[in-house]
Amino acid sequence: MAHTDHQAMRRVLRREIAGTIGLLTDEHDFRAMRHYRTFTFDDHATYLQQVEDLLRTRALQGTHTTVALFDPQEYAEYCADRALDPDIPAHRTRFTAELATTGPTIPYEGQPLADLVPALVDEAVRRATWEYAATLLARLGACATCGEDIGRAAFTRATALVARILDTAPPGDRHVVCSVTAASETLVAVLHADAESGGATQLDEAEALEFTTVLALGLANQGPGGLVMRTTAPGASDQIYGWRLRGDGLEPLTAGEVFDAYCTDVESGDLISPESGVDYCFPPPLGTEGPTPGHHH
């Protein structure tokens, strides 16, 4: 009887333990891990199926699992920095445990792995974009004229612009895309702002931070870039409008410019049929509220 009670308690305790699985999402990373003797999988498709079965089993047992993106190169560097043997499974689990707090992760909620993997990769790209943009902002340093931190001032300006963009948007769910060119690369950030009952707007804080950072970099560099907003509301046509980055602010695109951008194939230049039920519009005025924040030299 006592033995049975101990087993029951262990089962209860097992449900209280959260876990993290480091996932090798693509064939290239999987092949890199096969160099380790203790990594015994030899087929990526079989490996993914086994991971999905394990996730499903843990969920049925009431155990929460987080899926992290496992990068073999980062793992090798992690082990080299700490003088660890990367061919020891305990060191892989140690690395994975740290990924749970520092790396891109997705909670497993019963979704198929075919849906989870792209979401995890998107999360990794989003985080990398934010880190890169934040690094470039920090490198701008202080203004030679007034001593103000250029990156911090641009972030303040971007925060105010994002707030005005959302405040002036028509009711409904908003999808905003920001694209800027920096250091010969194009950075893209996406912000979803869903309308809740009562008029409140729901934002993902991490997504909003990344979006604002990318916009701030575009404002600080005063380089090519733009924003496009799409609003969706029940019983109404979707509205699409946008702005180009101009100086430390935004210049509205005409309805014709938005239409051309959406209805032209980027690679071929051929016209694409416009979507039905979509209005290509001039954006609402952002207006100003008090002194314009940011750096103006």
Side-chain angles (χ1 to χ4, degrees):
M1 182 68 176
H3 178 67
T4 303
D5 288 343
H6 285 312
Q7 285 184 325
M9 285 189 287
R10 278 197 294 271
R11 283 195 296 270
V12 171
L13 285 173
R14 203 173 292 125
R15 291 198 297 267
E16 301 294 325
I17 301 174
T20 302
I21 293 177
L23 183 65
L24 298 161
T25 58
D26 61 52
E27 186 76 37
H28 178 269
D29 287 346
F30 181 82
R31 286 198 303 268
M33 291 303 295
R34 289 196 63 203
H35 294 306
Y36 299 122
R37 178 185 53 81
T38 56
F39 186 80
T40 57
F41 290 96
D42 56 13
D43 178 75
H44 189 230
T46 302
Y47 160 81
L48 291 176
Q49 183 60 58
Q50 292 295 319
V51 169
E52 186 161 26
D53 290 346
L54 176 61
L55 288 170
R56 192 178 297 114
T57 299
R58 286 174 58 84
L60 290 173
Q61 293 172 345
T63 303
H64 174 78
T65 309
T66 298
V67 182
L69 187 68
F70 194 103
D71 185 316
Q73 183 176 346
E74 289 184 4
Y75 172 62
E77 293 170 355
Y78 172 89
C79 290
D81 290 343
R82 292 160 179 78
L84 300 175
D85 181 355
D87 207 1
I88 294 179
H91 295 160
R92 290 200 288 273
T93 58
R94 177 176 165 181
F95 173 70
T96 300
E98 293 198 18
L99 284 179
T101 57
T102 62
T105 61
I106 293 288
Y108 178 70
E109 297 172 333
Q111 66 270 50
L113 211 59
D115 295 335
L116 188 148
V117 168
L120 183 58
V121 173
D122 287 347
E123 176 67 17
V125 171
R126 192 180 83 177
R127 179 174 294 227
T129 299
W130 169 71
E131 290 176 350
Y132 182 61
T135 298
L136 293 181
L137 268 182
R139 288 177 181 171
L140 294 175
C143 174
T145 302
C146 68
E148 185 175 15
D149 187 297
I150 297 173
R152 185 177 295 114
F155 189 86
T156 301
R157 173 69 173 144
T159 301
L161 284 173
V162 171
R164 295 300 298 148
I165 287 169
L166 296 179
D167 288 345
T168 58
D173 293 339
R174 301 87 181 255
H175 178 91
V176 200
V177 179
C178 176
S179 174
V180 305
T181 300
S184 301
E185 293 190 45
T186 299
L187 302 183
V188 178
V190 179
L191 179 62
H192 299 88
D194 297 332
E196 295 182 322
S197 57
T201 299
Q202 180 181 358
L203 291 174
D204 180 283
E205 292 185 6
E207 191 177 76
L209 175 61
E210 180 221 328
F211 185 92
T212 306
T213 303
V214 171
L215 175 57
L217 182 62
L219 296 174
N221 286 334
Q222 299 190 3
L227 289 87
V228 174
M229 163 77 84
R230 182 170 188 149
T231 63
T232 303
S237 297
D238 285 11
Q239 294 188 25
I240 299 177
Y241 53 84
W243 303 262
R244 64 172 57 86
L245 270 63
R246 184 73 73 189
D248 67 345
L250 301 176
E251 178 181 271
L253 297 174
T254 66
E257 288 173 322
V258 176
F259 179 88
D260 289 344
Y262 264 79
C263 300
T264 303
D265 185 274
V266 176
E267 295 183 359
S268 68
D270 295 336
L271 292 178
I272 303 172
S273 299
E275 294 183 61
S276 61
V278 172
D279 293 333
Y280 302 93
C281 317
F282 190 82
L286 296 180
T288 56
E289 292 187 355
T292 303
H295 183 260
H296 303 290
H297 289 297

